[in-house]
Amino acid sequence: MNGLHSIPSVERLLQSDQAKAWINLYGRPLTLQALRLTLDDVRRRMIDGSLDMPPEHSEILTQAQSHLDAWTSPTLQPVINATGVILHTNLGRAPLSAAAVRAMQLAGEAYSNLEFDLSTGRRGSRLIHAEEILKRLTGAEAAMVVNNNAAAILLALSALAARRRVIIPRSQLVEIGGGFRVPEVMKQSGAKLVEIGTTNKVRLSDYEEALQTPDALVMRAHRSNFRIVGFVEEPSLQEVVDTSHRSGALVLDDLGSGALLDTSAYGLAHEPTVQESLAAGCDLVCFSGDKLLGGPQAGIILGRANLIDRIKKHPLARAVRADKTCLAGMTATLLHYLKDEAEREIPVWQMISMKQEQAKVRAETWRDALGQGDVVPSESTVGGGSLPGETLPTWVLSLSVGNPDTFLKRLRAEKPPVIARTENDRVLLDPRTVLRGQDDALLSALKAVLKP
Ligand SMILES: *Cc1c(COP(=O)(O)O)cnc(C)c1O
C-alpha cells in the first residue's frame, strides 16, 4: 500500500506527448476519463495486493489508449465478404453503386429540396423524389418509398385492410428470417387473416370460396427463401388476379426481392419480376430496395394511384417514411435501370453476371500471391430472400489449414474483418463477392493469419 503515492497524477500524465495528441484526437473530457479509469484500476490493484508497484507510465498510457480505442471505434464496420453469398443479410445485403453512394453523400452533407417545392417556394412532399422514375421504369400509376418492405406491407394492409379479411394460401405463410413472419405482420395491421388451401396445394376454387364473403383483399407472398416441390399446385398470379377482381377484391403482391431484370438470363431460375406482377394486374406490389434491386434499405410500393393516395395519408406513413439519403440513393440506383446500365454499375448485378472464368483468374492471382492453396470449382449463391436453392458456378481459393474454425475466427479479427466459409475442413474464399479494390486488403489479412 506504501506505493500508492507513487502512482502518477492525471495532471502529470496529461503532460505527455501522447496525452496531448489524444486531446486533439478525442477531446479533453474523453482523454481525462480514459486516464482516470486506468489510474483507478491501478490503485485498486495495489490496494487489493495484486500489484506492488505502479506500472511504467508507458504501460499506463497504453492501457488508456485501449480504452480510447474501444470507446471511439464504431461497432458497425466494413467487412470483406468472401462467402460467395451475394445478398448476405447479416453482412448488410446490397453494396451500393458509386453513383448511389455519391447521391447519398450529397443528400447528407448539404440542404436539399427534400420537402420544398422550388417553383412555388412552398412546402413540398418527399414522396415525389423517387416516384417519377419508379413510374417510368415500371409503368405503375403511382409509387411510394418507405423504410423497408416489412414496413411497406404493414402500411399497405393497415391503410387498406384493417378489420377486413385478407386471404392468403397456407403455402405462402413465410418466415423471412430474424423471426419476421408474414402472417404476424398481416395481423399487426389489424387485418383478419383468412388462410386457404393446404401447405402444398391451393386451387382457384379455394379463392372463390373465400371470396364469397365480401370485404376481402387477396395477398400473395413470394416464397423467397424456400421451395415447395413434389405434389404441389397453385394457380398462376394472373388467374388469382382475375378471380379476385371478379369478386371486387384487391390483390396485393409481396414480391420480396423485387427483381427488375430477368435472373434467368444469368443461368439462374426465373425470379418473378416487378413488371410481371403489374402486368398480371396486381393492384399493389411491394418489394425491398436492398435485395435484387441493389439499392439502399427501402420498401417500395407500386400500384393504382387511388390506393397509393390512401396509403400516403395513413398515419403510419410518417412512422415508416424513408429518409433523404435513402431517397437519393434509391433514385440513383433506379437511374441505372432506366439507362440500361444496371449490370455494369450495380454491384449485385456485377456479381450475378460475373463469368466463372473471371472468378478463376482472380482466385489464381490470390493463390500465387500467397504461395499456397488450390483453385477449385464451387458455387456462389444469391441469398437475401431470393432464388432459394439456386447457385452460380464459381471458382474459389481453397486453403488447407490446421483448424478451419480458428482460422475463420482469426480472419474475422483482421482489419477489415474477412468473412469466409468452410467446406470439408477447408477454408473457401469466393472472389465473386469480394469487391473490386478489396484484393490487397484480403491478401494482407490472409498473409497475417497464415503466418507461421
Ligand atoms: C425480404 C422479404 C420481406 C421483408 O423485406 P425487408 O425489406 O427486409 O423488410 C418481406 N416479404 C418477403 C417475401 C421477403 O422476401
Side-chain angles (χ1 to χ4, degrees):
M1 279 251 262
N2 289 343
L4 278 181
H5 66 270
S6 55
I7 298 177
S9 66
V10 173
E11 288 66 34
R12 176 88 190 281
L13 292 172
L14 275 177
Q15 296 310 313
S16 66
D17 289 343
Q18 215 169 339
K20 284 179 187 154
W22 291 344
I23 290 174
N24 264 332
L25 276 175
Y26 305 115
R28 193 177 164 86
L30 205 62
T31 303
L32 274 174
Q33 237 182 60
L35 290 172
R36 287 201 179 114
L37 184 69
T38 310
L39 292 175
D40 286 351
D41 186 51
V42 169
R43 199 166 298 118
R44 203 168 27 249
R45 281 154 62 207
M46 289 185 68
I47 291 172
D48 74 15
S50 59
L51 208 62
D52 299 332
M53 293 271 292
E56 299 285 328
H57 284 197
S58 64
E59 208 178 305
I60 293 176
L61 290 171
T62 305
Q63 183 57 43
Q65 170 83 70
S66 73
H67 289 312
L68 287 167
D69 283 344
W71 295 341
T72 56
S73 3
T75 56
L76 181 62
Q77 53 177 316
V79 304
I80 295 177
N81 175 8
T83 63
V85 182
I86 296 175
L87 291 167
H88 200 305
T89 295
N90 303 141
L91 303 184
R93 288 196 186 151
L96 300 172
S97 75
V101 171
R102 262 197 314 279
M104 292 175 88
Q105 181 176 354
L106 270 177
E109 72 188 7
Y111 293 107
S112 61
N113 61 339
L114 178 65
E115 292 185 352
F116 186 77
D117 185 329
L118 290 171
S119 60
T120 62
R122 298 223 185 93
R123 188 192 166 125
S125 164
R126 71 173 60 214
L127 291 173
I128 64 163
H129 296 296
E131 183 164 9
E132 283 312 311
I133 192 164
L134 277 166
K135 280 158 56 175
R136 184 169 301 282
L137 260 176
T138 63
E141 274 178 32
M144 181 179 181
V145 180
V146 295
N147 184 53
N148 60 11
N149 190 28
I153 299 159
L154 178 64
L155 175 63
L157 290 178
S158 301
L160 303 175
R163 289 180 299 280
R164 292 174 62 183
R165 301 162 69 249
V166 177
I167 298 167
I168 187 166
R170 293 195 168 84
S171 54
Q172 295 173 16
L173 295 173
V174 304
E175 170 166 328
I176 305 307
F180 170 86
R181 292 176 166 174
V182 166
E184 283 167 14
V185 173
M186 292 169 67
K187 282 185 200 149
Q188 189 64 42
S189 70
K192 284 177 250 166
L193 200 61
V194 179
E195 299 176 12
I196 59 170
T198 59
T199 316
N200 55 329
K201 291 227 174 194
V202 60
R203 302 193 179 84
L204 267 187
S205 56
D206 294 317
Y207 283 94
E208 282 160 356
E209 197 174 314
L211 283 164
Q212 277 173 8
T213 314
D215 204 26
L217 180 146
V218 171
M219 179 159 161
R220 180 182 83 149
H222 180 46
R223 282 187 286 275
S224 304
N225 48 10
F226 67 105
R227 280 201 299 221
I228 300 185
V229 294
F231 191 54
V232 294
E233 180 179 342
E234 197 172 271
S236 72
L237 183 60
Q238 186 70 63
E239 290 170 318
V240 171
V241 169
D242 292 344
T243 303
S244 307
H245 284 176
R246 269 198 300 277
S247 304
L250 298 173
V251 179
L252 165 69
D253 189 14
D254 172 13
L255 265 179
S257 202
L260 289 170
L261 300 182
D262 182 3
T263 48
S264 68
Y266 302 91
L268 293 162
H270 177 73
E271 178 82 2
T273 65
V274 175
Q275 295 90 331
E276 286 159 6
S277 295
L278 289 168
C282 292
D283 302 282
L284 288 171
V285 180
C286 300
F287 50 96
S288 293
D290 53 350
K291 292 184 179 171
L292 279 174
L293 192 72
Q297 179 193 303
I300 293 171
I301 312 174
L302 302 177
R304 293 200 353 228
N306 63 328
L307 302 177
I308 300 264
D309 257 1
R310 280 166 63 192
I311 295 173
K312 284 178 179 169
K313 292 192 183 113
H314 190 275
L316 255 187
R318 168 71 180 231
V320 299
R321 71 184 186 181
D323 89 300
K324 60 189 175 182
T325 57
C326 166
L327 291 167
M330 183 52 69
T331 305
T333 305
L334 292 168
L335 197 51
H336 293 312
Y337 289 94
L338 198 62
K339 289 159 72 179
D340 196 25
E341 59 180 28
E343 186 184 305
R344 197 180 71 226
E345 298 296 331
I346 299 178
V348 167
W349 288 99
Q350 287 169 358
M351 293 176 193
I352 290 174
S353 61
M354 181 192 272
K355 299 269 181 295
Q356 264 187 82
E357 204 47 39
Q358 291 171 267
K360 187 174 184 197
V361 169
R362 228 163 132 206
E364 284 169 351
T365 317
W366 296 350
R367 180 198 56 200
D368 296 345
L370 296 172
Q372 60 177 291
D374 307 296
V375 174
V376 299
S378 183
E379 284 162 344
S380 319
T381 55
V382 178
S386 51
L387 299 159
E390 287 289 308
T391 57
L392 290 158
T394 190
W395 289 82
V396 297
L397 176 63
S398 164
L399 296 172
S400 167
V401 299
N403 181 333
D405 289 333
T406 311
F407 194 86
L408 288 192
K409 188 169 181 190
R410 291 181 59 201
L411 276 180
R412 292 198 301 271
E414 285 296 313
K415 284 193 165 103
V418 174
I419 317 298
R421 65 190 165 98
T422 60
E423 202 175 281
N424 299 329
D425 271 345
R426 295 182 68 108
V427 172
L428 304 186
L429 299 138
D430 189 339
R432 191 183 294 276
T433 49
V434 176
L435 301 182
R436 292 174 190 164
Q438 287 183 328
D439 288 52
D440 288 347
L442 174 77
L443 287 173
S444 63
L446 283 169
K447 281 179 190 158
V449 175
L450 284 166
K451 210 165 48 203

